Amino acid sequence: HSFTAPILEVSSNPFPNTMAQDLSFNPVIKNNINLETPIIDSEFETLRSRYNGDHIYVAGHVLVYPSYNGFFEKPDLYLDQLFVRNCYRDLGFGKMLFSAVASQAASNGMGMVDWLVADWNEKSMKFYEKMGAHYIHEYRLCKLYGEKIQQYANISR
């Protein structure tokens, strides 16, 4: 009933089975992926941590929170952010994160996952289409911000 923010962490060595117990968390997905070529990560020093002497790097994250869909009359998940750093893209990590979101929605009996994608972001749109996304062209994004928030906040009820 609150936001969820899984972080995609990668390491050149497999994560030990005891890591979740040691750090008091439950991994959503734990996969070993063997890459044919090394990843060149220009930000590895900034986004690095250590566990038992191994370097662990943040490769991406996803941020979701529960919502309610009045049309389906069911709770749903709103996907606020799905991000994989450039050097880790096209390796299946985005699909892994998206799968974790879908799994969370399904296991909680939610009616859907919804999100926004910018119409100029063709790569993301193609990614989501491959994942089975349905685009609703009849809807427009609306925002109320700045002075207008205050203007309507002050209207008497």
Side-chain angles (χ1 to χ4, degrees):
H1 300 293
S2 67
F3 74 91
T4 305
I7 297 172
L8 174 63
E9 294 179 316
V10 296
S11 174
S12 56
N13 297 314
F15 290 105
N17 289 332
T18 59
M19 187 174 180
Q21 297 157 348
D22 293 347
L23 299 177
S24 301
F25 77 94
N26 188 15
V28 178
I29 297 174
K30 185 178 171 193
N31 283 349
N32 289 324
I33 299 173
N34 294 316
L35 304 175
E36 297 193 13
T37 58
I39 294 172
I40 299 170
D41 184 349
S42 62
E43 298 176 303
F44 76 96
E45 288 293 335
T46 306
L47 299 165
R48 173 178 67 167
S49 63
R50 293 177 76 91
Y51 177 79
N52 283 347
D54 285 332
H55 294 288
I56 298 170
Y57 305 95
V58 174
H61 71 271
V62 64
L63 174 63
V64 296
Y65 51 86
S67 185
Y68 187 81
N69 186 298
F71 183 76
F72 289 108
E73 297 182 350
K74 282 186 119 177
D76 69 2
L77 269 183
Y78 183 77
L79 172 59
D80 188 77
Q81 298 175 23
L82 189 151
F83 178 74
V84 176
R85 293 180 43 233
N86 280 336
C87 60
Y88 295 99
R89 292 182 183 171
D90 299 318
L91 299 172
F93 294 130
K95 185 176 182 180
M96 193 183 304
L97 287 170
F98 194 77
S99 174
V101 171
S103 176
Q104 182 179 355
S107 67
N108 288 306
M110 296 180 160
M112 67 171 27
V113 176
D114 57 350
W115 63 95
L116 299 172
V117 61
D119 63 358
W120 53 262
N121 194 340
E122 291 184 28
K123 189 168 184 175
S124 288
M125 290 191 304
K126 286 178 184 174
F127 169 79
Y128 291 127
E129 284 172 5
K130 278 196 235 176
M131 298 299 109
H134 172 76
Y135 289 102
I136 304 172
H137 298 284
E138 298 84 17
Y139 287 85
R140 302 278 182 196
L141 171 65
C142 299
K143 291 186 176 193
L144 186 67
Y145 56 92
E147 294 174 8
K148 294 295 183 183
I149 291 175
Q150 195 60 46
Q151 177 185 343
Y152 285 98
N154 294 330
I155 293 178
S156 62
R157 292 172 178 62

